[in-house]
Amino acid sequence: MPDEIKRTTLMVRDAERAAEWYATVFGMRRWFDSEFVLSDGQLAAGEIGDRTRLIIMQCKHERIGMIGLLQWLDPPRPAPDNLPAQLTFGAPIFVVAAQDVRATTDRALAAGSRLHSSPHPWSVQGADGVTKHMIGASFWDLDGYFFEVNEVTR
């Protein structure tokens, strides 16, 4: 049986603000919220003794598709001066199945997202060889993570 990737954790500037964004834009709910002190070298960031906060947001599945929002509280970790304007190696692309891509995009923009691509029709051949028709859009969240949002139309 293969391993299961259940969560992606993102470093964010403000965990509370990021959690509000994920709740507003995607309807995710807060599953976990705790401060903790780094006690070993498992993370490739920070130092032993750093105080952090982790909020885990959950979609409708109970175990997969969660997003962790990790903020350094003490000492705070500086964020880059400029958030990305294009994708680069090492940067994830989150793909979201939306019920209404236009409404999701509107919520993202109202919550402060930067738009890359407005909702538009497009098609792709699926893994089963059948063409899927969709409406898609893309944008960045408040910390510069990129989201491709799609709604299957037929």
Side-chain angles (χ1 to χ4, degrees), residues 31-146:
W31 183 78
F32 177 87
D33 186 347
S34 183
E35 291 186 15
F36 63 94
V37 175
L38 296 183
S39 61
D40 61 29
Q42 185 167 343
L43 289 180
E47 303 291 334
I48 293 173
D50 286 0
R51 192 168 58 88
T52 64
R53 180 180 183 191
L54 176 63
I55 299 175
I56 299 175
M57 302 298 288
Q58 182 182 52
C59 291
K60 60 184 173 183
H61 193 282
E62 65 185 41
R63 279 195 348 232
I64 62 172
M66 293 184 181
I67 293 182
L69 306 168
L70 181 62
Q71 176 185 357
W72 257 255
L73 300 173
D74 187 27
R77 292 188 59 90
D81 291 333
N82 298 312
L83 294 176
Q86 64 180 15
L87 292 169
T88 61
F89 281 97
I93 301 170
F94 292 92
V95 179
V96 177
Q99 299 298 312
D100 181 342
V101 74
R102 288 178 177 86
T104 300
T105 303
D106 288 347
R107 290 190 303 271
L109 294 176
S113 294
R114 288 180 297 124
L115 183 67
H116 174 72
S117 175
S118 296
H120 62 281
W122 69 285
S123 300
V124 64
Q125 183 176 340
D128 59 3
V130 176
T131 299
K132 293 182 181 182
H133 300 280
M134 300 185 223
I135 298 172
S138 54
F139 47 80
W140 281 270
D141 77 357
L142 304 177
D143 289 292
Y145 296 103
F146 189 78

